[in-house]
Amino acid sequence: MMNFLSVKDMGIDLGTANTLIYIKDSGIVLNEPSVIAVDNRRNVTLAVGREAKDMIGKAPANISVIRPLQDGVVSDFDKTADMLSEFIAKAVSANRIKNFRVVVGVPSGVTEVEKRAVEEIVRQMGASEVYILEEPMAAAIGAGLDVDSATACMIADIGGGTTDIAIVALGGIVASTSIRHAGDKFNDAIIQYVRKRHSLLIGEKTAEKLKIQAGAACLDTDENGDEIIKTVKASGRDIISGLPKIIDVTNRDIMLALQESVDIVIDGIKATIEKAPPEIAADIAESGIVLSGGGGLIYNLDKLIEKRTGMKATIAENAFEAVAMGTGMSLNDIEKLKVYASSVKRR
């Protein structure tokens, strides 16, 4: 006999790179890469999450390792549903749940059709109520900003597929910019740079490792004003010989690789401020901007934003989990949640 739970409020950050699930009274119970591995011959799911991610670039022809979300939106409906179903099963202790309420974070630039696709996937899981919340609003709530205040606050959520920048006041988004340029594009830029500069082919996982270990928006300097250089190892295939090779890559290399991507994000921040009414801009000049998402953790990005915009930039304490926390926390007040979620439809 299948077990059932009654109401189990749930917040989901259905991200391009990672999926996080928040359950009321339990906090974040799942944080896994948004990857699914499928055996094409038998049409069965072999693995999801970390286990599937470990197969990227290594699977034989009969196994497809898929990231079913691209640039913040569902690119493969069925695979996203299969992956999310597995994640929800992992996240709850019972075999199946019913009558649960779900808030899903989506990028601010998605269309109504894309929102309905996400809602349909979650309803298939057995949800009785589904609320779609724009990610910057969810991130602002999760980062502890007062989104209901008349004094505006600003957030930039730099995820895997999208960078979502928004100014929030009185429970709604006043101005927003969604750029389909974030963590995945940062990885691509590193792959291209290492190929061009060092004649080395590296994979996505190696690029991500370099971004985390040596990524910087700008470099620190010592007491003499010289840049502080650190080195990390990168392994891949030599373009000329075709053989495996390990090289040293510096934080300066990664800074140069990320330069264009960082410029795009900062331009997005400036564009969002330009859309805001003067009184709102005055609030932001005082309060500054909060960074969230994995991309917000790039070393010295906050310092570079301050330098380029003149605004104070701070990193949210729970930067990586802010959207998931916000989706879950918003369920504490359903009436307010209806305002936050419906503000998407009114705009």
Side-chain angles (χ1 to χ4, degrees):
M1 182 79 182
M2 197 170 274
N3 295 322
F4 283 94
L5 296 180
S6 55
V7 174
K8 195 85 173 178
D9 289 346
M10 188 182 295
I12 300 174
D13 174 8
L14 190 59
T16 304
N18 294 278
T19 296
L20 286 78
I21 295 180
Y22 175 106
I23 290 182
K24 194 172 179 180
D25 301 326
S26 300
I28 290 171
V29 295
L30 181 131
N31 179 354
E32 297 261 3
S34 301
V35 185
I36 181 169
V38 179
D39 185 329
N40 298 321
R41 288 176 190 159
R42 295 179 293 151
N43 197 26
V44 294
T45 300
L46 296 176
V48 295
R50 285 186 192 85
E51 203 181 327
K53 188 177 181 181
D54 288 343
M55 299 181 186
I56 290 176
K58 300 177 182 178
N62 64 301
I63 296 174
S64 295
V65 184
I66 301 159
R67 294 178 62 182
L69 294 111
Q70 297 293 331
D71 298 331
V73 298
V74 175
S75 60
D76 188 320
F77 185 93
D78 293 334
K79 296 293 184 289
T80 302
D82 291 346
M83 180 185 76
L84 192 54
S85 178
E86 295 280 346
F87 284 155
I88 291 174
K90 274 189 186 184
V92 296
S93 52
N95 294 335
R96 194 172 171 186
I97 52 178
K98 63 175 183 177
N99 299 328
F100 61 105
R101 295 179 295 200
V102 178
V103 179
V104 188
V106 298
S108 56
V110 303
T111 64
E112 288 299 325
V113 172
E114 288 163 343
K115 284 176 196 166
R116 281 198 294 274
V118 171
E119 182 181 348
E120 179 61 28
I121 287 168
V122 178
R123 285 200 183 278
Q124 284 182 9
M125 306 295 110
S128 56
E129 294 176 50
V130 181
Y131 299 93
I132 303 294
L133 195 59
E134 292 192 0
E135 279 175 0
M137 174 64 89
I141 295 167
L145 302 180
D146 187 354
V147 298
D148 296 312
S149 171
T151 304
C153 55
M154 185 173 187
I155 190 145
D157 182 60
I158 308 168
T162 58
T163 294
D164 287 288
I165 306 152
I167 297 172
V168 181
L170 298 170
I173 292 175
V174 179
S176 68
T177 305
S178 184
I179 311 164
R180 294 194 175 181
H181 197 106
D184 288 347
K185 293 287 197 301
F186 297 174
N187 294 345
D188 290 345
I190 292 168
I191 290 168
Q192 296 306 320
Y193 181 91
V194 172
R195 177 180 180 143
K196 192 175 177 182
R197 175 78 177 76
H198 296 286
S199 299
L200 188 77
L201 287 173
I202 62 170
E204 185 186 318
K205 283 167 71 177
T206 301
E208 190 172 3
K209 185 189 81 171
L210 292 173
K211 179 179 69 179
I212 293 165
Q213 293 181 350
C218 58
L219 302 186
D220 292 330
T221 53
D222 60 21
E223 60 272 14
N224 299 319
D226 296 325
E227 291 177 341
I228 298 170
I229 302 295
K230 69 182 254 188
T231 304
V232 293
K233 301 286 184 189
S235 54
R237 191 173 81 236
D238 187 283
I239 290 175
I240 297 160
S241 70
L243 298 173
K245 186 179 177 183
I246 298 173
I247 63 163
D248 288 328
V249 176
T250 67
N251 53 346
R252 182 172 176 76
D253 281 327
I254 307 305
M255 180 194 75
L256 292 171
L258 295 177
Q259 205 163 46
E260 188 181 342
S261 296
V262 168
D263 286 347
I264 289 169
V265 170
I266 294 175
D267 287 346
I269 290 169
K270 290 177 180 175
T272 309
I273 296 167
E274 285 167 10
K275 293 178 190 176
E279 292 296 330
I280 293 280
D283 287 345
I284 303 306
E286 278 192 39
S287 61
I289 182 169
V290 175
L291 306 179
S292 66
L297 298 172
I298 286 177
Y299 189 65
N300 279 344
L301 179 58
D302 52 342
K303 286 184 183 175
L304 190 63
I305 289 169
E306 284 188 22
K307 185 179 174 185
R308 295 270 192 89
T309 66
M311 289 192 312
K312 179 183 164 196
T314 54
I315 301 164
E317 278 184 27
N318 57 346
F320 194 80
E321 300 171 340
V323 171
M325 292 288 290
T327 58
M329 288 162 63
S330 66
L331 281 157
N332 292 333
D333 191 329
I334 293 293
E335 290 311 307
K336 276 187 180 178
L337 172 58
K338 286 174 181 173
V339 173
Y340 302 153
S342 62
S343 69
V344 176
K345 295 182 178 66
R346 285 202 306 269
R347 279 172 57 243

